[in-house]
Amino acid sequence: MRRLNIHWFRNDLRLHDNPVDLSRHDLSDGEESTLLPIYIFDTSRIYGSEIKSAVSGAIKCGASRAKFTIEAVEDLRLSLEKRLGVCLLVATGRPEDVLLELVKQNVQPRGEQAEQDTSVNLVCQREICHEELEVDKAVEASLEGFISDGSRFNFEKIWGSLLYEPCDLPFEGGINGIPTTFNKFRREVEAKCEVPMPLEAPSQTELQTASVTRGRSYSATSMPTLSGLGYTDQQVESTRTVHPNSSLPKGYRGGETFALHRARQWIWDRDMLRTYFDTRNGLIGEDYSTKFSPWLACGSLSPRYVALECRRYEEARVANKSTYWCVFELLVRDYFRYFAARHGRRIFYLHGTAGRLEGGAERKWNRNPELIAAWREGRTGHPLIDASMRELGNTGYLSNRGRQNVCSYLSIDMSVDWRVGAEFFESRLLDFDVCSNYVNWINGAGLTGGRLNRFNITKQSRDWDEKGEYLRLWVPEIRNIPNEFIHSPWEMSETAMEECGVIIGSDYPFPIITPTADCEFKRTSRKQRDTSKQDNHAIEGPKGLQAIRDAVCKDVPITDGQVSLFTLHYFYMRLMAILSQQVRQTRFGSTSMLFPGNRFQALSSSCLRMPRSRETLSATSLRTLDDANPNLEGCEAAVKSSSNAKGLVFGSAMAAIATMFQISFVL
Ligand SMILES: Cc1cc2nc3c(=O)[nH]c(=O)nc-3n(C[C@H](O)[C@H](O)[C@H](O)COP(=O)(O)OP(=O)(O)OC[C@H]3O[C@@H](n4cnc5c(N)ncnc54)[C@H](O)[C@@H]3O)c2cc1C
């Protein structure tokens, strides 16, 4: 009997602590066994500029991650050759086709008499999520279709790249017995389990290595290039340099060799493990956190190896909160894998694992291209979001805090379909990991059934970047804004803007949205925004009450002298623009976005949240009330429907404007 062992490397690109390691297999008497290790760049589902995500159409795997993976595979090939004298085959194409070709070359086809029976043993690290499981099915179908006798084909998927495999865990019922919250999981695991020792890297093998060195889709010597994987020249070019502000380790490369170097450097040489608990929320530099994630994600670094190093460090130097926390984070990573395995496809659903109804009320989502583009490109007018998104876009990395902030902002404040964000992360992150990414996203978007945890972006900015260093690093156009306003530049007065030379609305945008806590953010229609942008020029500069009135009411039909409160508010915005004589190109685009709701309370509070208008609002309303005979009925109604002083000011302003335009309004 001849046995063909195929080690299909997937997200386990390492030799240390690799449980899939076929060189450890015992050989039965008289058995001839051949080892064929292979890595497949799946150009039909993952790599290349034409492979897009389902919801947003983002490229699935950006060129930077593809390059990182090529480096990791190159490194693995060298190690296999050096340590075991084994050739790694590298292929491009669909795994089900590549593996079939490989098997065909080594096994007699169905129906033909084989001189010697061959059994095929295909082994890989177990994948958990839907798309990967579909690949498994396709591979299985393809090989089973070729090998007639099912008993001669064995497809083994082995748990790996975890601290704890299911068999190490103290829960009954396998994956389904795992607690529904992380805290319960952690308490049980910490009380009852110890992280198993990592496996040593193999130093020799008794298996013969493959004689096959080249097929149509694979080779034992060549390595695909980015162009060969389907990336454009421009995308390839973008990977040539590392951004100088990148917080990834200097000179980083994909692969196990660099991963082990980084672990040694960060834990031991730089002694950063000692203070990790205090530094982990940092935003700038390569050492505030481990930066192990890109290597953990593709399996070039084993979490058990990291846990063992932490234990060794505790014995040799110090055991403290920081050494505990590093392993704690890896446990979070484990939990998210089990969470993904348990919930299957639901981690990709719009309504997450919590289901369609959240607290009885339907979440409303949008896919507004303007909001999405502003978020992706880092020009929302909220400096912390813009800095974070620019870092991600330029370097392929973002701190955990940054990820939480931009996730909350997109999915809660903007109410944008969270999958658009998750897919963008998938495209850009060097450390993209399907379980960590999607479970963190549904968690951050409040779709796992727990409490909705909205991040107050301005507060986050003040808390974690007190002096605005991170903001100035990534958003240079606001560099000269004084510390007082760096976290909320829209609060600057005209004088403050002139003094620092940064004009909001021209040098840097007004906030594209008013962050909202109630998830009921409603947008003005595209048509309305377009109209207001055009009007921006039309209404600048009219003098005299009649001219102002005409300019304000322009293009908006008023039936029976009556308008809705929303329209009146829209008039108010136009009036403010005229009175301030400060209208800039983008002003109306953003202000109309800032005042989106049609509920009175939402309008009045959002109106007063914008300090620049607040001053002019009260001044104008008082002046107008003095000058004109106010529409007292409207004023009273507006005030009554609002319970606080802000409502009073707003109500008065609306009433005054209604009077000025000789119209009434309905609430
Ligand atoms: C919206 C969102 C998306 C994310 N997407 C990914 C992703 O695609 N890939 C990924 O590896 N991490 C993801 N994370 C988790 C986390 O942000 C990164 O693991 C971390 O920032 C990587 O930097 P580090 O290695 O220096 O982390 P450290 O702080 O040094 O942590 C050590 C390791 O613990 C693990 N870890 C830490 N925090 C988490 C977490 N919240 N979830 C899962 N594992 C964690 C990582 O493997 C990390 O490398 C995401 C977080 C959020 C909020």
Side-chain angles (χ1 to χ4, degrees):
M1 178 72 130
R2 206 172 140 245
R3 194 166 69 180
L4 182 65
N5 295 291
I6 303 175
H7 180 160
W8 176 19
F9 280 97
R10 295 170 97 178
N11 288 314
D12 59 331
L13 299 176
R14 65 176 184 279
L15 293 186
H16 73 280
D17 191 36
N18 191 333
V20 185
D21 177 14
L22 287 166
S23 63
R24 283 177 231 276
H25 278 214
D26 291 335
L27 296 179
S28 319
D29 273 352
E31 199 178 54
E32 184 198 320
S33 208
T34 308
L35 173 62
L36 281 172
I38 187 163
Y39 181 84
I40 305 166
F41 286 92
D42 187 341
T43 42
S44 70
R45 300 182 182 92
I46 301 175
Y47 296 99
S49 57
E50 293 304 315
I51 309 297
K52 307 272 174 72
S53 294
V55 174
S56 65
I59 293 176
K60 255 198 172 271
C61 173
S64 300
R65 189 164 80 253
K67 179 173 183 250
F68 189 82
T69 313
I70 292 176
E71 289 166 357
V73 174
E74 265 167 355
D75 185 66
L76 179 68
R77 179 180 263 175
L78 278 177
S79 301
L80 277 167
E81 269 167 23
K82 217 161 71 187
R83 283 171 183 251
L84 304 177
V86 170
C87 273
L88 177 70
L89 301 173
V90 178
T92 50
R94 300 194 312 165
E96 58 271 37
D97 298 338
V98 173
L99 291 168
L100 180 62
E101 189 196 347
L102 190 63
V103 168
K104 273 182 175 173
Q105 282 206 345
N106 287 272
V107 179
Q108 291 289 348
R110 187 191 343 212
E112 285 184 25
Q113 186 61 47
E115 266 180 36
Q116 200 180 19
D117 272 347
T118 306
S119 70
V120 176
N121 192 29
L122 174 64
V123 189
C124 65
Q125 179 173 290
R126 179 181 291 274
E127 291 290 337
I128 293 166
C129 292
H130 174 67
E131 284 180 10
E132 291 73 16
L133 296 181
E134 289 296 304
V135 177
D136 288 357
K137 277 191 210 153
V139 165
E140 210 149 2
S142 166
L143 295 197
E144 274 176 1
F146 175 72
I147 303 165
S148 56
D149 177 357
S151 64
R152 291 193 307 152
F153 171 55
N154 178 37
F155 186 8
E156 204 182 342
K157 295 146 213 155
I158 297 180
W159 287 99
S161 299
L162 288 157
L163 286 181
Y164 301 98
E165 291 164 18
C167 62
D168 304 317
L169 293 172
F171 309 110
E172 297 281 314
I175 304 275
N176 289 333
I178 285 169
T180 49
T181 65
F182 171 68
N183 268 338
K184 270 194 213 152
F185 172 81
R186 178 186 60 79
R187 274 197 301 270
E188 288 275 297
V189 171
E190 285 179 349
K192 297 183 182 157
C193 310
E194 264 214 12
V195 180
M197 288 295 283
L199 302 164
E200 289 289 327
S203 53
Q204 57 179 40
T205 177
E206 291 179 18
L207 304 183
Q208 290 173 15
T209 82
S211 54
V212 12
T213 53
R214 181 172 285 281
R216 201 172 41 80
S217 57
Y218 55 83
S219 154
T221 49
S222 63
M223 185 64 74
T225 59
L226 284 176
S227 318
L229 290 180
Y231 292 96
T232 63
D233 290 349
Q234 202 185 355
Q235 287 162 343
V236 175
E237 196 52 40
S238 71
T239 66
R240 294 211 196 283
T241 49
V242 173
H243 195 284
N245 298 347
S246 171
S247 46
L248 286 167
K250 298 273 167 306
Y252 76 86
R253 295 181 55 75
E256 182 179 17
T257 308
F258 193 93
L260 297 176
H261 156 75
R262 170 65 183 170
R264 205 168 36 247
Q265 179 193 55
W266 189 84
I267 296 174
W268 296 100
D269 304 347
R270 298 192 182 160
D271 207 19
M272 293 309 300
L273 181 57
R274 186 183 293 270
T275 51
Y276 169 68
F277 186 79
D278 302 314
T279 59
R280 79 207 143 97
N281 281 308
L283 300 172
I284 302 175
E286 61 178 275
D287 285 336
Y288 61 80
S289 64
T290 66
K291 309 291 161 49
F292 294 162
S293 55
W295 292 272
L296 284 164
C298 66
S300 293
L301 185 63
S302 151
R304 280 187 187 170
Y305 173 85
V306 177
L308 176 66
E309 287 302 290
C310 290
R311 205 184 313 158
R312 286 185 50 232
Y313 181 95
E314 287 180 334
E315 284 160 14
R317 295 193 187 166
V318 63
N320 61 17
K321 225 172 174 179
S322 295
T323 55
Y324 164 78
W325 209 263
C326 192
V327 182
F328 169 97
E329 293 291 10
L330 294 171
L331 193 59
V332 174
R333 179 178 173 277
D334 267 20
Y335 181 72
F336 282 6
R337 276 176 162 57
Y338 289 124
F339 186 96
R342 185 182 176 143
H343 290 281
R345 293 187 74 166
R346 287 199 292 159
I347 64 164
F348 303 105
Y349 288 175
L350 177 61
H351 298 281
T353 54
R356 192 160 278 276
L357 292 178
E358 174 79 353
E362 187 98 343
R363 287 274 291 271
K364 293 188 180 66
W365 301 99
N366 73 78
R367 286 199 212 151
N368 178 331
E370 284 175 49
L371 295 185
I372 294 169
W375 178 81
R376 267 202 309 239
E377 292 157 22
R379 44 179 185 78
T380 63
H382 282 101
L384 185 62
I385 298 301
D386 295 344
S388 303
M389 292 308 293
R390 292 183 198 187
E391 180 185 4
L392 172 61
N394 282 292
T395 71
Y397 180 82
L398 182 60
S399 66
N400 187 51
R401 187 143 295 276
R403 295 181 205 204
Q404 288 175 317
N405 283 325
V406 300
C407 166
S408 167
Y409 186 83
L410 183 84
S411 61
I412 301 178
D413 291 335
M414 285 181 158
S415 289
V416 166
D417 180 341
W418 65 271
R419 295 169 303 177
V420 171
E423 289 182 355
F424 185 69
F425 269 35
E426 176 167 358
S427 172
R428 293 303 170 98
L429 280 175
L430 224 50
D431 65 19
F432 169 70
D433 166 307
V434 59
C435 302
S436 294
N437 191 52
Y438 281 85
V439 178
N440 269 298
W441 267 95
I442 50 169
N443 205 20
L447 300 167
T448 51
R451 196 166 60 93
L452 183 71
N453 194 11
R454 173 182 171 266
F455 282 69
N456 176 334
I457 298 307
T458 311
K459 183 172 182 314
Q460 287 284 314
S461 191
R462 291 203 170 99
D463 287 352
W464 301 107
D465 187 31
E466 198 186 339
K467 295 183 184 147
E469 287 159 344
Y470 179 67
L471 304 182
R472 291 189 174 92
L473 186 68
W474 285 105
V475 192
E477 61 269 36
I478 61 168
R479 193 183 294 136
N480 294 333
I481 293 182
N483 281 358
E484 187 190 353
F485 294 113
I486 192 77
H487 306 284
S488 52
W490 60 90
E491 286 184 343
M492 281 194 292
S493 65
E494 300 292 331
T495 324
M497 287 191 215
E498 265 146 35
E499 269 170 18
C500 69
V502 183
I503 307 298
I504 302 305
S506 136
D507 299 323
Y508 183 69
F510 275 104
I512 195 163
I513 55 152
T514 304
T516 172
D518 64 4
C519 300
E520 286 185 9
F521 173 74
K522 294 187 183 71
R523 287 158 293 120
T524 42
S525 71
R526 188 187 184 90
K527 194 170 157 222
Q528 192 173 32
R529 258 177 285 132
D530 289 345
T531 316
S532 40
K533 270 181 198 157
Q534 288 154 17
D535 287 353
N536 204 22
H537 303 291
I539 63 177
E540 200 167 354
K543 300 276 183 315
L545 189 60
Q546 187 58 45
I548 291 176
R549 187 185 296 150
D550 291 345
V552 167
C553 301
K554 185 171 171 281
D555 300 335
V556 180
I558 300 170
T559 319
D560 298 326
Q562 210 179 48
V563 294
S564 70
L565 179 62
F566 184 48
T567 309
L568 187 67
H569 184 256
Y570 184 56
F571 287 171
Y572 161 74
M573 292 310 303
R574 288 181 168 194
L575 179 67
M576 286 301 108
I578 293 168
L579 293 181
S580 68
Q581 294 290 305
Q582 295 286 335
V583 185
R584 291 195 169 79
Q585 280 275 339
T586 55
R587 180 79 194 271
F588 254 148
S590 53
T591 48
S592 60
M593 293 290 291
L594 272 168
F595 295 85
N598 55 9
R599 284 169 29 228
F600 184 85
Q601 194 64 39
L603 277 175
S604 67
S605 61
S606 62
C607 175
L608 288 154
R609 224 180 275 149
M610 186 174 156
R612 249 185 106 194
S613 339
R614 197 188 301 154
E615 295 151 21
T616 35
L617 170 69
S618 40
T620 314
S621 60
L622 293 176
R623 199 170 48 242
T624 321
L625 278 167
D626 275 346
D627 290 352
N629 179 20
N631 173 350
L632 288 176
E633 260 174 41
C635 178
E636 239 176 74
V639 172
K640 266 188 202 152
S641 74
S642 168
S643 56
N644 56 28
K646 286 178 177 178
L648 182 81
V649 178
F650 180 72
S652 313
M654 289 299 119
I657 292 163
T659 304
M660 185 175 164
F661 297 140
Q662 294 156 0
I663 46 179
S664 61
F665 63 94
V666 283
L667 291 175

